[in-house]
Amino acid sequence: MDKSRVGILVVDDEYSVRDALYKWFRDDGYRVDVAADAHEALKKLQESSWDIVLLDIRLPGMDGLELQRRIREIDPNVVVIMITAYASVESAVQALKQGAFDYVTKPIDPDDLEHLVRNAVEQRRLRAENIQLRQKIEELARMDEIIGETPAMKQVFELVRVVAETDSTVLIRGESGTGKELIARAIHGHSRRRYFPIITVNCGAFPETLLESELFGHERGAFTGAQYRRKGKIELADGGTLFLDEIGDIPPKMQVDLLRVIETKEFTRVGGNQVIRSDFRLICATNKDLESEMKAGRFREDLYYRINVFTIYLPPLRERREDIPLLARHFVKRFATTMNKPITEITPEAMEILLAYDWPGNVRELENAIERAMVVGKPPAIRPEDLPFQLGTKADSAVGELESLEAVERSHIEKVLAKTGWNISRAASILQIDRVTLYNKIRKYGLRRPA
């Protein structure tokens, strides 16, 4: 353990205690500071990052339990170890219920406390590793969603493989719903930065003022409502990847600030003066025609050339219809598991409709259509009537002249009767209607049992 990278804040109103702990941990190689009361402690927590807070339960003005709650609001990952001269079970249990790691009693044995700090650092490390592992598993699961066997998609996979080995800036272009974020995560997941986070910002989801704070962070009091210092997404992406989705929607003023960060990897938080450096790999995505946006004066030419180093184009689903069956069956399999519903296939008639539709919403729309069909459909397969209405409407021209509902019903009843050898009870059960209704339909459609 590199102790110089572990920050310890000692909060105690007794000078002798905090001075002794300060010297002990400083001499042992830790980064350490002290605070005499809760307000000083909160100020130091807002100014800098700390791994462990050694916190006296009894403090003037605000007790340690309330201060622990405030610490959680500022940074929920800080490990709190309580210090008390009043080793009552009640105060100790209350502190642990609020999330404290452990507590020690005065007089403090430095060796015991140092052992406790080591355990706390190890727990914090394991917690961080678990979070990274969960993120990695989620990213790998999402990468499995990139499906395609068409030449266009095979080319995309090859470009992802090639560029993942570099640190080049990537611009992913394509219509909404084509899976641009999945491609960004695939690049990150196969890069040397994969053990660090990928931080995503949807630039079109924030007004200009909020986007500035989202990207650069802010200092306490920078604007109304900024009660605490907050790290921005650029700072959080240090070591990993910053994915700016919908980069074409970023406001003009922010384009200037972003260009500066891309070139220098340095920035300041909103309302701050401290220059912060972040080592991140940049991936951008857009569904806009950036060349037209430049001509219209809405997108800076210098920023365009800075982000357009390596381009990957994701074709819309209508340009790779051969992948529709693969994707559709993949979604059926996934929803069958999550819904615990034994629908495992898609009837040829339903697949024909899926293949004929233009899919303006691309893969996302196909996913939604299959989810809807899985909800309303019955085992074992998705049928045409389970699909959203608009699919059939737009598919008319490509599918050809469809039969009327009565013609489809007549044909289906005839098939079921033939398969069951005209066993009325069994046929009615398969059709999920009663025997009387089935007899009425047989008469209506003039069906005759074969001689």
Side-chain angles (χ1 to χ4, degrees):
M1 179 176 67
D2 183 358
K3 294 180 179 178
S4 65
R5 295 175 67 89
V6 179
I8 299 175
L9 180 63
V10 179
V11 186
D12 200 306
D13 61 331
E14 287 187 56
Y15 172 79
S16 59
V17 174
R18 65 174 184 271
D19 186 56
L21 292 178
Y22 173 80
K23 290 177 179 174
W24 173 268
F25 284 108
R26 182 199 61 187
D27 294 345
D28 202 24
Y30 290 93
R31 178 173 64 89
V32 58
D33 201 352
V34 297
D37 55 43
H39 297 291
E40 186 180 4
L42 288 172
K43 185 171 182 292
K44 293 196 172 183
L45 283 159
Q46 290 157 0
E47 290 173 346
S48 185
S49 296
W50 299 96
D51 300 288
I52 295 170
V53 176
L54 302 179
L55 177 58
D56 190 5
I57 283 183
R58 302 199 69 174
L59 291 170
M62 181 190 304
D63 68 17
L65 295 176
E66 172 61 16
L67 178 55
Q68 181 182 229
R69 189 184 66 75
R70 299 281 296 274
I71 291 171
R72 292 274 174 252
E73 293 176 354
I74 297 173
D75 186 350
N77 295 317
V78 171
V79 176
V80 175
I81 296 175
M82 286 293 186
I83 301 172
T84 178
Y86 305 90
S88 69
V89 173
E90 183 182 355
S91 61
V93 170
Q94 184 63 28
L96 296 176
K97 280 183 177 177
Q98 287 188 188
F101 176 73
D102 210 332
Y103 73 99
V104 295
T105 57
K106 297 177 181 177
I108 299 171
D109 182 323
D111 290 328
D112 289 345
L113 182 56
E114 208 273 343
H115 180 70
L116 204 56
V117 166
R118 279 178 170 273
N119 288 342
V121 171
E122 179 64 11
Q123 187 203 58
R124 184 179 163 89
R125 184 187 67 79
L126 290 173
R127 188 190 302 163
E129 284 185 358
N130 285 337
I131 292 172
Q132 286 185 355
L133 184 60
R134 280 202 301 273
Q135 290 175 340
K136 189 68 183 171
I137 291 171
E138 289 171 2
E139 285 169 14
L140 289 173
R142 297 193 66 182
M143 279 191 280
D144 286 343
E145 305 264 301
I146 307 173
I147 292 171
E149 291 185 350
T150 54
M153 287 307 294
K154 286 180 179 176
Q155 184 181 24
V156 168
F157 298 149
E158 177 61 16
L159 292 174
V160 168
R161 188 191 65 77
V162 170
V163 80
E165 297 174 357
T166 74
D167 235 6
S168 296
T169 298
V170 180
L171 177 62
I172 306 170
R173 311 184 73 157
E175 295 179 4
S176 294
T178 49
K180 296 187 288 294
E181 183 171 349
L182 289 178
I183 294 298
R185 291 184 178 279
I187 295 170
H188 172 76
H190 289 86
S191 74
R192 68 176 179 84
R193 296 175 179 269
R194 59 185 176 277
Y195 299 110
F196 292 88
I198 175 171
I199 303 296
T200 298
V201 182
N202 186 336
C203 299
F206 299 93
E208 181 172 326
T209 51
L210 289 182
L211 180 60
E212 186 179 23
S213 173
E214 188 74 9
L215 286 172
F216 300 107
H218 62 252
E219 296 292 343
R220 182 187 181 197
F223 50 82
T224 304
Q227 297 182 8
Y228 304 108
R229 173 179 55 78
R230 181 172 181 267
K231 291 182 179 179
K233 295 297 178 63
I234 294 174
E235 191 172 353
L236 293 173
D238 186 28
T241 299
L242 179 66
F243 175 50
L244 299 182
D245 199 4
E246 307 301 349
I247 185 76
D249 292 336
I250 198 166
K253 177 184 177 303
M254 290 293 300
Q255 292 179 27
V256 178
D257 296 337
L258 181 61
L259 179 64
R260 191 180 305 120
V261 175
I262 294 172
E263 291 176 340
T264 65
K265 297 293 175 72
E266 292 180 346
F267 64 98
T268 58
R269 298 190 190 106
V270 177
N273 297 313
Q274 180 188 359
V275 176
I276 300 167
R277 182 168 179 78
S278 180
D279 173 30
F280 60 88
R281 192 250 183 90
L282 181 65
I283 300 177
C284 302
T286 183
N287 61 5
K288 285 192 171 181
D289 182 349
L290 292 184
E291 291 77 8
S292 297
E293 292 294 300
M294 278 196 300
K295 289 178 182 175
R298 291 189 291 266
F299 201 84
R300 292 181 64 92
E301 186 175 348
D302 44 9
L303 178 59
Y304 169 78
Y305 288 114
R306 197 69 187 81
I307 65 173
N308 193 25
V309 177
F310 190 95
T311 301
I312 295 177
Y313 170 70
L314 276 177
L317 198 49
R318 63 181 175 279
E319 291 181 8
R320 54 183 186 109
R321 293 184 187 278
E322 303 94 314
D323 289 333
I324 291 175
L326 282 175
L327 285 161
R329 292 190 178 106
H330 167 77
F331 292 134
V332 167
K333 185 177 179 181
R334 170 147 62 82
F335 288 124
T337 301
T338 57
M339 295 180 185
N340 193 26
K341 198 167 184 178
I343 295 179
T344 56
E345 254 304 337
I346 302 171
T347 65
E349 295 80 10
M351 186 63 81
E352 190 175 6
I353 293 174
L354 295 178
L355 285 166
Y357 187 59
D358 273 348
W359 300 106
N362 292 293
V363 180
R364 186 181 299 134
E365 186 182 9
L366 173 61
E367 181 181 5
N368 292 342
I370 297 298
E371 182 176 5
R372 191 262 184 199
M374 292 290 290
V375 170
V376 302
K378 296 174 183 175
I382 290 175
R383 299 162 300 175
E385 56 267 35
D386 301 328
L387 296 171
F389 171 74
Q390 71 271 18
L391 302 189
T393 302
K394 292 187 179 181
D396 278 353
S397 59
V399 172
E401 187 177 350
L402 293 174
E403 294 177 296
S404 68
L405 184 60
E406 287 194 345
V408 171
E409 187 178 57
R410 182 187 187 284
S411 174
H412 186 59
I413 291 173
E414 194 171 26
K415 286 178 185 175
V416 172
L417 288 169
K419 286 280 186 184
T420 59
W422 274 75
N423 183 321
I424 298 300
S425 296
R426 192 175 165 203
S429 175
I430 292 172
L431 294 167
Q432 298 187 350
I433 57 179
D434 57 44
R435 288 164 52 90
V436 174
T437 302
L438 179 54
Y439 276 121
N440 289 335
K441 289 184 180 295
I442 290 172
R443 279 194 293 274
K444 176 183 176 181
Y445 294 129
L447 300 176
R448 295 286 186 273
R449 184 170 187 163

